[in-house]
Amino acid sequence: GNSVTQMEGPVTLSEEAFLTINCTYTATGYPSLFWYVQYPGEGLQLLLKATKADDKGSNKGFEATYRKETTSFHLEKGSVQVSDSAVYFCALRRRDDKIIFGKGTRLHILP
Amino acid sequence: EAQVTQNPRYLITVTGKKLTVTCSQNMNHEYMSWYRQDPGLGLRQIYYSMNVEVTDKGDVPEGYKVSRKEKRNFPLILESPSPNQTSLYFCASSIRTSGGTYTGELFFGEGSRLTVL
């Protein structure tokens, strides 16, 4: 079936460090892929998306590339800030439009 | 401002006392959905609605009811709450593309933290 697996957290980094949060998926066909972010005390909000293979989504310095060969959509940022501390969810959209979320990865950035 | 509004944001109640969590969106979205978020389990879908008067079960519908009488509102009803329904609840909405599919871009409310004693 369709599923999303992302790295367990929490992930703790120092400010200005390089960030990678791994996400892999299993799905029928080529689903649209998303990263959502949840800041403390808030609802989720869309961070970036990619709708087909080799697409790169980007926003706020974050990037993720849709890799069909490895069924992955890893989130990266070159230099994280304290304000990036949040929970990050990888997700896919199935053919029937249902959104499947990963379990989330909590990110702590230390000043 | 485009938004999804949930109320109440926080609620402590007792087992068996019926409650309703309201959800309203001002973006004219057809699709609306309820999720619950629990530690270690991520987000799980409770119910969803593709349009007015159309609702379907998600992954964890037991103990919940919903209705969609108007496009903007999608209340979540707990007829007889139990402690295992203590959770953080999110309402979300999404727009349909011109091709008829849903974009997958969900707009979330700020959440309703429910405690059932």
Side-chain angles (χ1 to χ4, degrees):
Chain A
N2 299 276
S3 66
V4 175
T5 303
Q6 55 183 112
M7 61 193 292
E8 300 250 347
V11 174
T12 302
L13 296 171
S14 297
E15 203 164 26
E16 299 184 4
F18 185 87
L19 168 71
T20 301
I21 300 178
N22 291 336
C23 171
T24 57
Y25 67 90
T26 58
T28 304
Y30 304 109
S32 294
L33 301 174
F34 308 86
W35 277 101
Y36 282 83
V37 59
Q38 183 182 26
Y39 297 107
E42 298 183 11
L44 283 71
Q45 55 185 273
L46 181 67
L47 180 61
L48 54 84
K49 68 174 183 178
T51 58
K52 59 184 188 295
D54 300 324
D55 264 4
K56 177 185 283 189
S58 61
N59 187 23
K60 298 182 181 180
F62 291 89
E63 292 183 340
T65 301
Y66 192 140
R67 301 284 188 202
K68 181 181 65 175
E69 307 80 16
T70 53
T71 61
S72 65
F73 193 55
H74 305 321
L75 183 68
E76 296 182 334
K77 186 174 185 182
S79 177
V80 292
Q81 307 300 312
V82 172
S83 57
D84 294 326
S85 297
V87 181
Y88 292 81
F89 292 89
C90 186
L92 65 81
R93 183 179 64 128
R94 287 188 334 199
R95 285 179 174 177
D96 62 355
D97 290 330
K98 184 179 175 69
I99 308 298
I100 307 295
F101 287 92
K103 292 188 176 180
T105 301
R106 185 175 296 277
L107 176 64
H108 293 293
I109 306 300
L110 304 175
Chain B
E1 180 188 352
Q3 59 186 3
V4 177
T5 304
Q6 299 178 220
N7 280 295
R9 295 287 314 280
Y10 302 91
L11 179 63
I12 300 174
T13 189
V14 295
T15 299
K17 187 176 181 181
K18 179 180 179 179
L19 68 91
T20 299
V21 186
T22 64
C23 174
S24 180
Q25 49 92 7
N26 62 0
M27 295 169 281
N28 202 36
H29 286 170
E30 294 88 358
Y31 180 92
M32 296 185 75
S33 182
W34 277 102
Y35 296 87
R36 59 179 289 175
Q37 184 179 19
D38 302 288
L41 297 176
L43 280 167
R44 294 180 292 171
Q45 190 179 48
I46 303 170
Y47 270 96
Y48 64 98
S49 170
M50 294 288 199
N51 215 324
V52 176
E53 302 293 357
V54 180
T55 62
D56 279 296
K57 296 178 180 179
D59 301 313
V60 288
E62 295 77 20
Y64 304 94
K65 285 174 58 178
V66 293
S67 68
R68 188 89 183 273
K69 294 185 173 64
E70 306 165 281
K71 197 172 189 178
R72 64 183 292 127
N73 296 323
F74 190 45
L76 179 70
I77 303 157
L78 286 72
E79 293 271 3
S80 182
S82 61
N84 64 12
Q85 293 179 298
T86 293
S87 187
L88 179 58
Y89 292 87
F90 288 101
C91 180
S93 69
S94 183
I95 197 166
R96 195 196 300 263
T97 67
S98 57
T101 60
Y102 291 93
T103 63
E105 297 176 36
L106 291 165
F107 293 79
F108 282 82
E110 292 187 308
S112 297
R113 185 168 292 281
L114 171 65
T115 301
V116 183
L117 302 175

